[in-house]
Amino acid sequence: MGREHWKKIWIGSAGNMVEWYDWFVYASFATYFAGAFFPDDDPTAQLMNTAGIFAVGFFMRPVGGWLLGRVGDRRGRKAALTLTVTLMSASAILIAIAPTYAVAGYGGAAVLLVARLLQGLSVGGEYAASATYLTEASDPRRRGFASSFQYVSMTAGQIVGLGLQIVLQRTMSGDALHDYGWRIPFVLGALGAAVVFYLRRNMLETDVYEAEADEREGEERGTLRALWRHKREAFLVIALTMGGTVAYYTYTTYLTKYLSNSAGLPKQTATLVSFTALIVFACLQPLAGRLSDRIGRRPLLITFAVGSTLLTVPIMTLLKHADSFWPALGLALLALVVVTGYTSINACVKAELFPTRVRALGVALPYAVANALFGGTAEYVALWFKDAGAESGFFWYVAACAAVSLVVYVTMRETRDLDLTRMKDARSSSLTTAS
């Protein structure tokens, strides 16, 4: 790819990293601030409350997907990406200054809730805007490779958050972390978002978008009416996202809590396992994305779904009995290698389903709906099963979601060779196999 392509990918990815750092740092530090906003008589109940607020953020993602997807299709990908990082910065500041339960009762939890709602709005648009931007800005022969950097940057955001957590764990006492140390990552997140705002204000629009920006059909750009013409593609996005998002959040945001709360590993060890596994996971994304440019998207998606359906229960069962760093790391890596078949290419697969005038909304809204229903609730469902004394039920739930997506992957057609500039008259019948 040329220098201009790399510049667009770099700016898009850097902003995405900060966005998802702010989103995920809530989950990774929840074990430290759960007691700050809720009564401290039941640690599991505290985690369930913070997980519930985490899930509520997901239910704002469809709203953010609709609002910011519309902005992305009508005003440009650059405008949507700039707005998302502004919302994320505001939410990080709110969490950093939220009063504790001891100071304001449930008022602090209310501030936390508002912040998560803002984050949900932001991320609801960020995923689609960055997926669309990276896909459109890349060489058509390397869309899988270029779009894989979305999950590289998403995972990098998690890695930075976990890396900061490891540093704070080793430089601050446990009491200090529970008292005020957990606020530090949110302050840094707000500062990072300010830097990204400047970068995105100066980023270049994609050629694919600009080529169609002045067409007469512009009044319907990014509208629900326009999206309805591609309703099959929208439902396809929901179905193909279902298994992937549940597996992804299980082995990323929930993994640290699972290792410490269920397997009994020290928090520091559990954090180090996640941190190390995510570094390897990030490195795998471009490799798998490039592979999809050679062999197609479907083989990777099918491999993920088969692996997740068959291996989730044994991997999660063995993780529960992992008593040290290396066994836990090995199992986590196995799980994330399987998930790579989905994460490395799902951004471009979704973007390849829709024409330019509705691409951002077409990716944003159905993806956000799927995440609200399955991704955002994964951690809460896991803790619900644990609290009910049937933790293994969650393992089967993850496997079942992957099995549903497997049916979709097997029946959908390949999207690798579609020309993004010639999709004005594309209809959903061309994207699913005939029965």
Short mmCIF file of all heavy atoms in Angstrom, two decimals, residues 257-267 269-270 319-323:
data_model
loop_
_atom_site.label_atom_id
_atom_site.label_comp_id
_atom_site.label_asym_id
_atom_site.label_seq_id
_atom_site.Cartn_x
_atom_site.Cartn_y
_atom_site.Cartn_z
N LYS A 257 -11.46 -11.11 35.24
CA LYS A 257 -12.35 -11.35 36.38
C LYS A 257 -12.57 -12.85 36.60
O LYS A 257 -12.62 -13.32 37.73
CB LYS A 257 -13.70 -10.67 36.14
CG LYS A 257 -13.63 -9.16 36.02
CD LYS A 257 -15.03 -8.61 35.85
CE LYS A 257 -14.99 -7.12 35.55
NZ LYS A 257 -14.40 -6.84 34.24
N TYR A 258 -12.71 -13.58 35.50
CA TYR A 258 -12.95 -15.03 35.61
C TYR A 258 -11.76 -15.72 36.28
O TYR A 258 -11.94 -16.57 37.15
CB TYR A 258 -13.18 -15.60 34.21
CG TYR A 258 -13.45 -17.08 34.18
CD1 TYR A 258 -14.61 -17.61 34.73
CD2 TYR A 258 -12.54 -17.96 33.58
CE1 TYR A 258 -14.87 -18.98 34.69
CE2 TYR A 258 -12.79 -19.33 33.53
CZ TYR A 258 -13.95 -19.83 34.10
OH TYR A 258 -14.21 -21.18 34.07
N LEU A 259 -10.56 -15.33 35.88
CA LEU A 259 -9.37 -15.96 36.46
C LEU A 259 -9.19 -15.62 37.94
O LEU A 259 -8.70 -16.44 38.73
CB LEU A 259 -8.12 -15.53 35.68
CG LEU A 259 -8.00 -16.09 34.26
CD1 LEU A 259 -6.78 -15.49 33.56
CD2 LEU A 259 -7.90 -17.61 34.27
N SER A 260 -9.59 -14.42 38.33
CA SER A 260 -9.42 -14.03 39.73
C SER A 260 -10.62 -14.43 40.59
O SER A 260 -10.45 -14.87 41.73
CB SER A 260 -9.19 -12.52 39.84
OG SER A 260 -10.30 -11.80 39.34
N ASN A 261 -11.83 -14.32 40.04
CA ASN A 261 -13.04 -14.56 40.82
C ASN A 261 -13.47 -16.03 40.83
O ASN A 261 -14.09 -16.49 41.78
CB ASN A 261 -14.18 -13.69 40.28
CG ASN A 261 -15.26 -13.43 41.31
OD1 ASN A 261 -14.99 -13.41 42.51
ND2 ASN A 261 -16.48 -13.23 40.85
N SER A 262 -13.12 -16.78 39.77
CA SER A 262 -13.54 -18.19 39.68
C SER A 262 -12.37 -19.16 39.82
O SER A 262 -12.44 -20.14 40.55
CB SER A 262 -14.27 -18.45 38.36
OG SER A 262 -15.48 -17.74 38.30
N ALA A 263 -11.27 -18.88 39.10
CA ALA A 263 -10.11 -19.76 39.17
C ALA A 263 -9.29 -19.52 40.43
O ALA A 263 -8.49 -20.38 40.83
CB ALA A 263 -9.23 -19.57 37.93
N GLY A 264 -9.46 -18.35 41.04
CA GLY A 264 -8.76 -18.08 42.29
C GLY A 264 -7.34 -17.55 42.13
O GLY A 264 -6.58 -17.51 43.10
N LEU A 265 -6.97 -17.14 40.92
CA LEU A 265 -5.63 -16.58 40.73
C LEU A 265 -5.57 -15.18 41.33
O LEU A 265 -6.57 -14.45 41.34
CB LEU A 265 -5.30 -16.49 39.24
CG LEU A 265 -5.08 -17.81 38.49
CD1 LEU A 265 -4.78 -17.52 37.01
CD2 LEU A 265 -3.95 -18.61 39.10
N PRO A 266 -4.41 -14.75 41.83
CA PRO A 266 -4.27 -13.38 42.32
C PRO A 266 -4.59 -12.39 41.20
O PRO A 266 -4.36 -12.67 40.02
CB PRO A 266 -2.78 -13.30 42.73
CG PRO A 266 -2.38 -14.72 42.97
CD PRO A 266 -3.17 -15.54 42.00
N LYS A 267 -5.10 -11.22 41.56
CA LYS A 267 -5.47 -10.22 40.55
C LYS A 267 -4.30 -9.86 39.65
O LYS A 267 -4.45 -9.68 38.45
CB LYS A 267 -6.01 -8.96 41.23
CG LYS A 267 -7.38 -9.12 41.85
CD LYS A 267 -7.86 -7.82 42.49
CE LYS A 267 -9.23 -7.98 43.10
NZ LYS A 267 -9.70 -6.74 43.78
N THR A 269 -1.73 -11.74 38.80
CA THR A 269 -1.46 -12.83 37.87
C THR A 269 -2.51 -12.87 36.76
O THR A 269 -2.18 -13.04 35.59
CB THR A 269 -1.44 -14.19 38.61
OG1 THR A 269 -0.45 -14.15 39.64
CG2 THR A 269 -1.11 -15.33 37.65
N ALA A 270 -3.76 -12.71 37.15
CA ALA A 270 -4.84 -12.71 36.17
C ALA A 270 -4.67 -11.57 35.16
O ALA A 270 -4.86 -11.75 33.95
CB ALA A 270 -6.18 -12.58 36.87
N LEU A 319 -9.72 -23.55 32.25
CA LEU A 319 -9.29 -22.26 32.81
C LEU A 319 -9.71 -22.11 34.28
O LEU A 319 -8.99 -21.52 35.08
CB LEU A 319 -9.88 -21.11 31.99
CG LEU A 319 -9.10 -20.66 30.75
CD1 LEU A 319 -9.92 -19.66 29.95
CD2 LEU A 319 -7.76 -20.06 31.15
N LYS A 320 -10.86 -22.65 34.61
CA LYS A 320 -11.35 -22.55 35.98
C LYS A 320 -10.44 -23.28 36.96
O LYS A 320 -10.39 -22.94 38.14
CB LYS A 320 -12.77 -23.11 36.07
CG LYS A 320 -13.44 -22.89 37.42
CD LYS A 320 -14.88 -23.33 37.40
CE LYS A 320 -15.55 -23.05 38.75
NZ LYS A 320 -16.99 -23.44 38.73
N HIS A 321 -9.71 -24.27 36.44
CA HIS A 321 -8.83 -25.05 37.29
C HIS A 321 -7.36 -24.71 37.07
O HIS A 321 -6.47 -25.41 37.58
CB HIS A 321 -9.07 -26.55 37.07
CG HIS A 321 -10.44 -27.00 37.44
ND1 HIS A 321 -11.49 -27.05 36.53
CD2 HIS A 321 -10.97 -27.39 38.63
CE1 HIS A 321 -12.58 -27.47 37.14
NE2 HIS A 321 -12.30 -27.68 38.42
N ALA A 322 -7.09 -23.67 36.29
CA ALA A 322 -5.70 -23.23 36.08
C ALA A 322 -5.18 -22.60 37.37
O ALA A 322 -5.78 -21.65 37.89
CB ALA A 322 -5.63 -22.23 34.93
N ASP A 323 -4.09 -23.13 37.88
CA ASP A 323 -3.61 -22.68 39.20
C ASP A 323 -2.35 -21.82 39.13
O ASP A 323 -1.77 -21.48 40.16
CB ASP A 323 -3.36 -23.89 40.10
CG ASP A 323 -2.37 -24.88 39.49
OD1 ASP A 323 -1.88 -24.63 38.37
OD2 ASP A 323 -2.11 -25.91 40.14
#
